Amino acid sequence: MITLVNEKTLIVCEEDCDLTSIFHVYFFAMCRLKTFPWSELETSLRDSVSSTLLSQILSKTVHHPICKSRPPSNQYQRLFLSELIKRHETTASEPLDELYDALAEVLRLEEQAQCHKSYRLPTGDFVSLIENQAVISEGTTGLVTWEAALCLAEWAMEHTDIFQGRSILELGSGVGLTGITVCKMCRPHKYIFSDCHPNVLRQLQKNLSLNNLAIQEFASSAASNTSEVQIMVKNLDWEVASQEHFKDLCVDVVIASDVVYDPEIVRCLVKLLSQLLTCAEKDKIPNMYIASTIRNHETYAYFRKELEASGIRQNIIPGPRRWVFPYDRSSQIELIKLHL
């Protein structure tokens, strides 16, 4: 097994993983360019008399079929190719016209407000997402993927028994990374994506379609013999939600990631979590897992305090052991299980 550490980003690859595969994974996830293994690339180029390695990297990135159908942003592709050319020119390896042709092709493209990020699963399949390039756009932060969503998705893949055959409700689904991963890798019976911003809900539905997940009406338990996940997208406003909203959902598991970011929404979030835990029958109380990137310690402490005041107990649980997705591992991410 190869473990590659580049500043803050770390990815663990299978034994057959090579430098081109690492570039492949990082490129489609649109990792920061400084986290790529440039030093390793330069060493390999100096040790080689041909440009075969660069051709292989191009075939795994800008010339890959995914880049044609679900491309990263044009600006990102330009910066990537410019850096690749710069690193190539510092070595004695032979010139490669293919590099300059690829850059010329990208330079002709117009920049778009949205782009695709694609995250490679252990199966070799990808979760591809349409995301906005701005962290905050259209009045919401829900149009990009955050680190805690990636962490929760990794954890879910290690605990498939919690999700397999179960009914899942996700709060604050955003663009859908965690939920799509769970649907593809954990085989739940039902999965309910939820958010409240209309633009987020529209983009979420596009991402479900992009990943070949169909939204469908829920069948009754007796009639549901299909092996496909039953998927629903729900408009759920935490401020107005009541127990009546949840009585008919009958969920076994509730998950959420990066929902603790603003002290002004903490109380309505905690009220919602309390309703979900108390509205169910005693033998059907859902398991509840929250993953949070702790950016502001005061806000997170306030959240934990409000949980305690509402009679909700908390247990910190270990994070994922195997790191599948490339993201900033220096971020402080905490997973907690909530129960009465």
Side-chain angles (χ1 to χ4, degrees), residues 55-164:
S55 295
Q56 291 173 341
I57 289 174
L58 287 175
S59 70
K60 291 263 193 170
T61 54
V62 294
H63 289 166
H64 193 277
I66 292 178
C67 197
K68 304 305 177 185
S69 60
R70 291 162 278 172
S73 75
N74 297 332
Q75 181 185 30
Y76 185 82
Q77 293 183 61
R78 289 196 296 270
L79 293 172
F80 170 78
L81 287 167
S82 297
E83 188 66 24
L84 198 58
I85 290 170
K86 173 184 166 185
R87 301 290 178 155
H88 172 243
E89 291 177 344
T90 63
T91 69
S93 56
E94 64 184 42
L96 184 64
D97 291 341
E98 193 179 359
L99 264 177
Y100 301 93
D101 292 342
L103 179 59
E105 183 178 345
V106 173
L107 287 171
R108 288 193 290 268
L109 301 175
E110 293 185 6
E111 195 59 61
Q112 305 293 324
Q114 294 182 326
C115 61
H116 293 79
K117 290 185 181 180
S118 298
Y119 299 92
R120 191 177 186 272
L121 297 171
T123 57
D125 190 14
F126 277 85
V127 172
S128 293
L129 305 170
I130 302 169
E131 297 193 11
N132 280 32
Q133 296 198 52
V135 171
I136 300 176
S137 58
E138 302 179 45
T140 179
T141 59
L143 294 169
V144 297
T145 297
W146 298 92
E147 286 98 340
L150 293 159
C151 178
L152 183 57
E154 289 178 330
W155 181 85
M157 286 188 281
E158 292 181 359
H159 298 83
T160 56
D161 57 305
I162 292 174
F163 302 94
Q164 187 170 349

